[in-house]
Amino acid sequence: PARAADIVDEESGAPGEEQRRWEEARLGAASLKFGARDAAAQEPKYQLVLEEDETIEFVRATQLQGDEEPSSIPSLSAQDQQKESIQAVRRSLPVFPFREELLAAIANHQVLIIEGETGSGKTTQIPQYLFEEGYTKKGMKIACTQPRRVAAMSVAARVAREMGVKLGNEVGYSIRFEDCTSERTVLRYMTDGMLLREFLSEPDLASYSVVMVDEAHERTLHTDILFGLIKDVARFRPELKVLVASATLDTARFSTFFDDAPVFRIPGRRFPVDIFYTKAPEADYLEACVVSVLQIHVTQPPGDILVFLTGQEEIEAACEMLQDRCRRLGSKIRELLVLPIYANLPSDMQARIFQPTPPGARKVVVATNIAETSLTIEGIIYVLDPGFCKQKSYNPRTGMESLTVTPCSKASANQRAGRAGRVAAGKCFRLYTAWAYQHELEETTVPEIQRTSLGNVVLLLKSLGIHDLMHFDFLDPPPYETLLLALEQLYALGALNHLGELTTSGRKMAELPVDPMLSKMILASEKYSCSEEILTVAAMLSVNNSIFYRPKDKVVHADNARVNFFLPGGDHLVLLNVYTQWAESGYSSQWCYENFVQFRSMRRARDVREQLEGLLERVEVGLSSCQGDYIRVRKAITAGYFYHTARLTRSGYRTVKQQQTVFVHPNSSLFEQQPRWLLYHELVLTTKEFMRQVLEIESSWLLEVAPHYYKAKELEDPHAKKMPKKIGKTREELG
Ligand code: CDP
Ligand code: MG
């Protein structure tokens, strides 16, 4: 463990001055001013040697203007007192003084755009005001959509608490594969995707009196589609109220789209935020994050820290590293509570981020983009922003979708910085240079509709009877090629006929709340008599990537445990094997623990599986088992995923149709084998274009399951002379 003497003065290398500051920091002395050592210099900077040569130098460059004077940091006890009465907190929110005015505006206008800083109370208060005002009389419901599952859950829980009701009674949430609502639920927080699916059962949303499309600025695919559909419904349901709520971005666009609907502005309450940039680019932002958090912790006055990372894996790694360093520093530093937040985090863990920080301690919340606008955590004074986010991108020419870590936009960076100025003047440390901010970041994030595949949405719109997609009322239209490709894919999957009309099979596919390819796989399990196994595979794929647990100190054991599940044929069968053995153990958590399998993920897979099983009857698929004949399972998977295939060439794997170079993911059970033909579940671009969850297939199966997509000729294998003949025969058999 590091000793106090390790903390050296960065100029002289002597422990003296730094040690004193260190001690002060330990005692929680607020006198340690950021950059105090360089008071003479124009630009304050600080540097603290925590260990060896790990330091990051920041330069103060700009300030995000606030509309309030900088104030001292409110003491935690004051905040606690404020929490004393939940009603007092409600009354303290920026939206509260505008309650009557807002309700009047809603009464007078069918569509209202509501703009307000994050944390002003839009999401939690407005639906409650409407409830209090009687908008839920006669059993009518209020919907409030959220782009993220976590936000829908946590906000519903908060509102239930504020209203003093049990979650799932008057207030509930509904997210994919999880419905926490009942007959009594009149305030429904739901993901935008769920409201979209509501249109299938209730095309005019007749049971809703108000629809609030929240976090509209996020411009998710589902939110964008909702805009078009709701605008249409509003025309023939004049009594329906439509609210579009957004952070202070883009509201003019929303207004124009909704025939110049008025914009209601909730004045902000924001303190100035000083922005610091690194002097030089950081090579490893995860490591840089960990070092910076500790630097802030030991040099900065009280106040919690919010760190933005891109996803669960990164967040878990960062939290582990932080906890590790804190343990080594022991009592030399004040207590640092390290709390993760990401989409798949179980709700009891999520709740922890909202609990007040104990006196004397500091909280660091390591979050995904979710904390950018959807969630507000009290007490944040410092924001650490590496400047990245995970973004989907789609190439309509190749049909390849990938999730990539990319630089965030300037708009996003400023939203993040703003999180530091909610309760007092704050600081935002950007782990990139001022130059990079100016020259490398895009102004705004491209709406998701322009960088994702549209198969899902097109299928849904077709099932709603919307045929002319080219003329759908899009806020921003998707690229023409993407739309075309979605139609082509749905045709190849048999969901649409050659006229672009929905087929019986397409109607069934739309019934299942999963991607068309996964739906198709489930439908195909009827033909191959293996629906039991396919349901399991589908459920396991939907909790993807978080099945195995790999603690740092037991890497060898964990890897051995994983290899023990390997079955010839590939990763889908490995997933099936894990689930089957777990079920045989009586769904035991002990079994998970012993086999380095994540119990939480498995429990979720079980829920998903049950729900999908419940839908089988509706899509006319009977329960059947392959009885160990895994070829049938593999063929059913191929029937859904024939688009995602790759073949081994002299220069490695290439996708069959587009000839893109791809690689088997090192975690795959097939990593060391080289089957000639592969199917993959998804592509992930990190250092390379990796195929995740791969399955060995035979080329003849492709002709069997997708005869109108593949031609025998393109599946010919130059190495096997007999191949063409054999394939020819298969085609004949198929007619
Ligand atoms: O939607 P908007 O960003 O305008 O604000 P909000 O989400 O309604 O948040 C209003 C207040 O509720 C904030 O002060 C949050 O800290 C608090 N809140 C909470 O304590 N727990 C949640 N799960 C959500 C909000
Ligand atoms: Mg909100």
Side-chain angles (χ1 to χ4, degrees):
R3 295 179 306 118
D6 293 343
I7 315 301
V8 293
D9 186 292
E10 78 257 31
E11 274 145 32
S12 65
E17 161 71 356
E18 201 60 60
Q19 167 115 38
R20 191 182 59 72
R21 290 178 50 187
W22 180 264
E23 293 293 343
E24 279 178 9
R26 240 181 86 194
L27 295 170
S31 62
L32 282 179
K33 283 274 151 53
F34 186 85
R37 312 195 64 204
D38 295 287
Q42 280 279 344
E43 292 181 332
K45 56 187 174 185
Y46 78 91
Q47 195 173 44
L48 175 79
V49 181
L50 279 163
E51 271 176 21
E52 293 105 54
D53 49 9
E54 304 168 328
T55 55
I56 307 225
E57 208 173 339
F58 287 97
V59 185
R60 180 182 157 195
T62 47
Q63 193 187 54
L64 212 64
Q65 282 304 323
D67 29 40
E68 292 202 12
E69 283 301 297
S71 65
S72 61
I73 297 155
S75 75
L76 288 164
S77 59
Q79 264 181 33
D80 286 345
Q81 275 161 21
Q82 232 187 42
K83 286 231 159 81
E84 206 181 84
S85 141
I86 216 154
Q87 292 311 319
V89 175
R90 285 193 65 193
R91 283 194 294 272
S92 74
L93 292 172
V95 68
F96 182 74
F98 300 91
R99 185 183 184 280
E100 309 313 320
E101 217 177 302
L102 183 63
L103 284 170
I106 294 170
N108 291 333
H109 301 278
Q110 185 179 16
V111 182
L112 192 67
I113 318 292
I114 303 170
E115 174 192 306
E117 285 288 339
T118 305
S120 51
K122 300 183 296 296
T123 311
T124 55
Q125 304 307 305
I126 296 174
Q128 285 189 77
Y129 296 169
L130 294 165
F131 172 79
E132 292 154 5
E133 191 71 3
Y135 278 90
T136 56
K137 284 206 184 112
K138 294 187 223 129
M140 294 300 272
K141 297 178 286 191
I142 296 172
C144 176
T145 67
Q146 297 291 313
R148 298 158 201 280
R149 303 162 47 92
V150 182
M153 290 162 76
S154 93
V155 158
R158 167 80 188 177
V159 172
R161 213 171 331 123
E162 287 186 10
M163 288 174 54
V165 299
K166 195 166 158 274
L167 185 61
N169 285 353
E170 284 78 4
V171 184
Y173 66 85
S174 153
I175 60 183
R176 192 164 71 138
F177 297 126
E178 202 174 324
D179 186 18
C180 183
T181 64
S182 61
E183 287 290 290
R184 287 166 65 179
T185 311
V186 287
L187 285 195
R188 289 174 179 245
Y189 288 93
M190 53 174 92
T191 49
D192 45 9
M194 286 309 282
L195 185 60
L196 211 49
R197 294 199 69 81
E198 290 266 312
F199 277 90
L200 280 177
S201 49
E202 197 179 47
D204 51 358
L205 301 180
S207 64
Y208 290 91
S209 56
V210 185
V211 173
M212 172 163 162
V213 182
D214 200 0
E215 305 287 336
H217 62 271
E218 290 237 2
R219 301 291 309 276
T220 60
L221 171 63
H222 291 153
T223 291
D224 268 19
I225 300 294
L226 277 178
F227 285 144
L229 293 177
I230 290 175
K231 185 174 168 182
D232 194 41
V233 170
R235 283 208 187 103
F236 56 88
R237 274 199 59 204
E239 77 289 1
L240 176 74
K241 296 292 182 189
V242 177
L243 306 178
V244 176
S246 153
T248 48
L249 284 164
D250 257 359
T251 43
R253 296 261 348 251
F254 300 135
S255 168
T256 313
F257 179 78
F258 282 101
D259 304 323
D260 298 320
V263 178
F264 193 101
R265 289 200 176 78
I266 302 165
R269 184 172 64 183
R270 208 175 64 184
F271 299 93
V273 175
D274 272 334
I275 298 183
F276 297 82
Y277 295 92
T278 51
K279 267 194 151 172
E282 282 300 324
D284 178 351
Y285 68 81
L286 211 55
E287 175 68 24
C289 262
V290 172
V291 174
S292 310
V293 166
L294 291 171
Q295 269 180 268
I296 294 169
H297 186 43
V298 298
T299 61
Q300 298 290 301
D304 296 334
I305 309 170
L306 175 60
V307 184
F308 286 98
L309 289 175
T310 69
Q312 177 176 350
E313 282 164 39
E314 240 177 52
I315 290 174
E316 280 174 351
C319 287
E320 208 171 292
M321 282 155 80
L322 270 170
Q323 266 149 354
D324 205 50
R325 303 267 170 105
C326 287
R327 217 172 298 128
R328 277 190 281 152
L329 289 164
S331 62
K332 285 188 213 73
I333 54 169
R334 281 180 298 142
E335 192 185 352
L336 186 67
L337 295 168
V338 183
L339 302 173
I341 176 91
Y342 48 79
N344 288 326
L345 195 71
S347 35
D348 50 323
M349 296 276 284
Q350 283 171 25
R352 286 178 58 204
I353 67 163
F354 295 109
Q355 285 162 12
T357 313
R362 194 198 294 270
K363 180 159 85 181
V364 50
V365 178
V366 189
T368 56
N369 252 351
I370 185 163
E372 209 172 281
T373 58
S374 332
L375 287 183
T376 299
I377 305 150
E378 295 299 317
I380 300 292
I381 301 284
Y382 307 100
V383 164
L384 189 61
D385 176 18
F388 289 96
C389 61
K390 215 179 248 176
Q391 229 183 38
K392 230 192 278 174
S393 59
Y394 186 64
N395 182 339
R397 250 166 269 289
T398 61
M400 295 210 310
E401 191 167 43
S402 47
L403 204 56
T404 337
V405 172
T406 38
C408 67
S409 65
K410 280 185 193 167
S412 195
N414 289 328
Q415 281 288 337
R416 290 176 178 190
R419 312 282 66 225
R422 229 179 74 76
V423 288
K427 287 172 186 166
C428 171
F429 300 92
R430 293 184 171 155
L431 288 173
Y432 43 91
T433 61
W435 192 91
Y437 174 81
Q438 282 306 330
H439 300 97
E440 287 175 356
L441 299 191
E442 300 287 342
E443 286 301 323
T444 54
T445 312
V446 176
E448 190 183 3
I449 197 166
Q450 297 181 335
R451 51 182 171 81
T452 185
S453 70
L454 296 172
N456 225 336
V457 156
V458 168
L459 184 60
L460 192 103
L461 292 175
K462 287 274 178 184
S463 342
L464 291 174
I466 297 164
H467 297 300
D468 186 7
L469 298 173
M470 302 294 170
H471 294 100
F472 183 76
D473 202 353
F474 292 111
L475 186 52
D476 281 308
Y480 179 72
E481 304 83 56
T482 308
L483 215 46
L484 214 56
L485 193 65
L487 291 167
E488 264 174 43
Q489 288 193 342
L490 289 169
Y491 171 72
L493 285 167
L496 302 178
N497 66 17
H498 65 287
L499 297 171
E501 298 161 344
L502 201 65
T503 62
T504 320
S505 159
R507 192 161 297 284
K508 289 181 191 168
M509 281 164 68
E511 288 274 345
L512 299 170
V514 293
D515 276 342
M517 289 191 272
L518 203 65
S519 298
K520 178 63 190 265
M521 170 180 104
I522 294 172
L523 293 186
S525 71
E526 169 76 4
K527 177 178 171 193
Y528 294 104
S529 306
C530 56
S531 59
E532 292 272 11
E533 289 81 7
I534 284 296
L535 280 182
T536 304
V537 171
M540 291 293 274
L541 285 173
S542 65
V543 293
N544 208 356
N545 303 330
S546 48
I547 302 290
F548 296 105
Y549 171 65
R550 199 167 182 262
K552 254 193 187 153
D553 51 339
K554 294 199 185 96
V555 169
V556 177
H557 288 92
D559 288 350
N560 283 339
R562 198 165 59 89
V563 170
N564 278 335
F565 290 110
F566 284 9
L567 281 185
D571 301 329
H572 297 69
L573 299 185
V574 175
L575 292 177
L576 177 60
N577 194 15
V578 172
Y579 190 92
T580 311
Q581 290 195 32
W582 179 58
E584 278 163 9
S585 79
Y587 304 105
S588 141
S589 56
Q590 180 64 23
W591 180 92
C592 287
Y593 179 75
E594 284 163 7
N595 289 283
F596 295 90
V597 167
Q598 303 253 25
F599 179 61
R600 282 193 264 124
S601 305
M602 296 305 292
R603 205 169 43 186
R604 190 167 140 70
R606 190 182 172 189
D607 285 348
V608 173
R609 193 184 184 285
E610 271 171 17
Q611 297 215 19
L612 289 175
E613 192 178 327
L615 292 168
L616 277 195
E617 210 176 310
R618 276 171 66 176
V619 297
E620 293 164 31
V621 173
L623 273 180
S624 53
S625 162
C626 75
Q627 310 290 349
D629 179 7
Y630 291 130
I631 299 277
R632 275 155 46 192
V633 176
R634 285 158 66 192
K635 281 188 176 179
I637 299 170
T638 313
Y641 286 87
F642 58 82
Y643 256 86
H644 288 178
T645 49
R647 97 164 87 194
L648 189 63
T649 67
R650 282 200 183 82
S651 52
Y653 282 103
R654 277 168 184 270
T655 59
V656 177
K657 284 275 182 178
Q658 294 82 21
Q659 308 285 315
Q660 295 265 333
T661 305
V662 286
F663 300 86
V664 175
H665 197 277
N667 279 346
S668 167
S669 63
L670 295 178
F671 183 61
E672 279 166 22
Q673 301 169 33
Q674 300 239 299
R676 199 162 282 173
W677 296 89
L678 283 183
L679 166 157
Y680 59 87
H681 180 63
E682 62 185 358
L683 282 181
V684 194
L685 180 68
T686 48
T687 45
K688 290 177 190 166
E689 199 80 66
F690 283 116
M691 298 179 278
R692 218 151 31 181
Q693 311 293 13
V694 295
L695 184 74
E696 180 178 356
I697 57 166
E698 286 176 23
S699 59
S700 61
W701 299 353
L702 294 174
L703 292 175
E704 181 178 328
V705 301
H708 44 293
Y709 185 67
Y710 284 107
K711 300 280 162 282
K713 206 162 178 342
E714 63 193 341
L715 299 177
E716 274 172 15
D717 201 322
H719 307 293
K721 283 189 187 127
K722 281 183 194 152
M723 204 72 156
K725 229 179 178 176
K726 215 166 114 197
I727 292 170
K729 207 171 154 198
T730 317
R731 290 209 81 195
E732 268 169 34
E733 281 165 11
L734 282 162

